[in-house]
Amino acid sequence: MPTNVADATLDLAVVSAAVDRYFADFNAGDYRAVAALFEADGVLLAPFEEPIVGPEAIYVYLQAEAVNMRATPVEVEATPGPDDTQQVEVKGRVKTSLFSVNVRWTFVVAADTLQSAEIKLLASLQELMQIDRG
């Protein structure tokens, strides 16, 4: 069952310490710490990008693309996965200096490390076109 910020204070650490640290480190601009949360072959699936594999590549990507972004988780839902993994889906917003957009992050967590993180923009094509025009 989803946990919503409107119902109570959203505490991602209860669901996954790795996911909690992902958002805390991301919002602090500590992209090296964010990348360190991923397994050696961990994957970041960012919008409009090929899969970014490994902590160093993830760090380089975030350092280039995520500066001054702020991610606000609003709702979280966790489900058990295969092989002692957990899938954690977080819905929220990302704010940049130019726009804000609704986002869904889907994390696969194993032993408190991230196997993968997929970021999906929850915007219509029309909304995305308006963002591109700036």
Side-chain angles (χ1 to χ4, degrees):
M1 174 177 208
T3 301
N4 192 308
V5 128
D7 299 333
T9 301
L10 189 63
D11 186 359
L12 292 174
V14 169
V15 175
S16 168
V19 172
D20 182 59
R21 287 193 316 268
Y22 175 94
F23 285 100
D25 293 340
F26 184 90
N27 287 333
D30 190 349
Y31 306 124
R32 180 71 68 193
V34 172
L37 295 169
F38 286 83
E39 294 180 351
D41 60 351
V43 179
L44 176 65
L45 301 161
F48 314 114
E49 300 289 337
E50 293 295 317
I52 304 155
V53 181
E56 187 60 26
I58 291 168
Y59 166 71
V60 169
Y61 171 78
L62 292 173
Q63 189 68 28
E65 299 295 330
V67 174
N68 296 323
M69 286 187 183
R70 178 99 180 140
T72 304
V74 175
E75 185 178 298
V76 62
E77 184 171 2
T79 54
D83 302 324
D84 294 325
T85 62
Q86 179 183 41
Q87 181 171 306
V88 180
E89 185 176 287
V90 179
K91 292 180 182 173
R93 290 191 67 71
V94 169
K95 183 174 179 15
T96 73
S97 58
L98 300 174
F99 62 87
S100 291
V101 65
N102 290 324
V103 176
R104 179 183 67 230
W105 296 265
T106 304
F107 299 93
V108 177
V109 183
D112 211 24
T113 60
L114 301 177
Q115 289 183 343
S116 66
E118 180 179 17
I119 304 164
K120 291 268 188 180
L121 303 179
L122 302 178
S124 69
L125 182 56
Q126 182 179 8
E127 290 169 317
L128 291 175
M129 288 174 58
Q130 289 173 347
I131 289 172
D132 286 342
R133 285 187 283 206

